[in-house]
Amino acid sequence: MAGPGESQALLPGRARWAQRMPGCLKGAALFPALLVSWSSSAFIVSYVIAVLEGHVEPLFPYISDTGAKPPESGIFGFMINGSAILGAVTMYIRYLIVKKQNEITDFISPWCNLAALTIGLLGCIGMGIVASFQELTVPAVHDGGALVAFLFGTFYIMFQTFISYKSCPQWSTQCICLIRLFLSIITAVAILPMIACASLISITKIDWNPGEKDYVYHIVSAFCEWTVAFGFVFFFLTFINDFQRITVRITAELHENL
């Protein structure tokens, strides 16, 4: 019999590589893990730079305010566009996972899975608009993109929570379902005052001071915006376990007649 070192050498290259991977990155888990870490960095890095540069007050600026002025505006736009792309890829893989699971146990209508994907992709398009159109340059387009991103993002995680419960217990655990339900409720509850208070603000500005008109509306709306944003981040964190169980392959076919 071969020793431990010899048996390790006999393993195929892909298997040896898979064994070296951290547990959280096995299978296709790299995609939601990268989405979570990249998006969190996008929010935090732009916030830190904006505060250090004196462009925003430390107490709950809008997320977009932290990327409204250079140099943080370039970093914000680049990283949020990256988050939109990673989000779209993660959502599509999630769609494929549910599709395969549904072919085995038939727990949900295929149209529901497709609707969730469509809604999620629309939210990603909204993120791309937020990243590409600066808040101070084209505020109407920027705000419209933000509304699309937050609303459709909330609908997406609510859809995914529903799908999780329908697939339980074979494809999802009760614990994961409860966590996703909690995050969906927190996000849905936070998005209502976020939109309502933002609509009551009569002045479009970045620098706010206590005692100013509409300051309370600004703080409440901004706090809820951060809550919604990190609600999305933590929700995608729950995808990692599901993605560990699947493998994504890209194949290419060469047609000689071309």
Side-chain angles (χ1 to χ4, degrees), residues 43-54 56 66 72:
F43 299 143
I44 295 171
V45 169
S46 59
Y47 168 81
V48 170
I49 296 175
V51 170
L52 292 177
E53 291 289 332
V56 297
T66 66
E72 63 269 16

Side-chain angles (χ1 to χ4, degrees), residues 196-213:
C197 290
S199 64
L200 293 174
I201 297 175
S202 57
I203 304 171
T204 301
K205 57 182 296 185
I206 293 178
D207 300 319
W208 288 88
N209 296 305
E212 287 186 299
K213 180 184 178 183

Side-chain angles (χ1 to χ4, degrees), residues 54-223:
H55 294 161
V56 297
E57 291 297 318
L59 183 61
F60 294 119
Y62 282 118
I63 295 175
S64 295
D65 290 351
T66 66
K69 297 180 180 179
E72 63 269 16
S73 57
I75 298 172
F76 179 84
F78 171 74
M79 296 193 75
I80 295 299
N81 269 321
S83 294
I85 295 170
L86 287 170
V89 172
T90 302
M91 291 172 182
Y92 181 65
I93 296 175
R94 172 64 179 172
Y95 164 79
L96 294 178
I97 293 173
V98 174
K99 181 180 179 182
K100 286 293 183 181
Q101 293 172 343
N102 201 44
E103 290 174 356
I104 299 174
T105 55
D106 191 24
F107 58 87
I108 200 170
S109 169
W111 289 104
C112 183
N113 190 28
L114 181 61
L117 174 64
T118 303
I119 289 172
L121 293 179
L122 288 172
C124 292
I125 292 173
M127 287 182 64
I129 293 173
V130 169
S132 303
F133 296 89
Q134 296 294 326
E135 179 185 17
L136 298 179
T137 307
V138 276
V141 177
H142 178 93
D143 292 344
L147 186 63
V148 169
F150 283 118
L151 278 179
F152 282 93
T154 302
F155 291 145
Y156 176 78
I157 67 174
M158 293 173 68
F159 255 106
Q160 289 300 327
T161 300
F162 172 73
I163 291 172
S164 299
Y165 270 97
K166 295 292 288 185
S167 67
C168 189
Q170 183 165 1
W171 303 112
S172 183
T173 66
Q174 190 69 26
C175 179
I176 288 295
C177 289
L178 289 174
I179 292 173
R180 290 175 181 170
L181 177 62
F182 172 76
L183 292 172
S184 298
I185 292 173
I186 291 296
T187 303
V189 169
I191 200 171
L192 296 177
M194 182 194 82
I195 296 174
C197 290
S199 64
L200 293 174
I201 297 175
S202 57
I203 304 171
T204 301
K205 57 182 296 185
I206 293 178
D207 300 319
W208 288 88
N209 296 305
E212 287 186 299
K213 180 184 178 183
D214 299 333
Y215 178 75
V216 174
Y217 293 144
H218 162 74
I219 288 294
V220 173
S221 181
F223 173 79

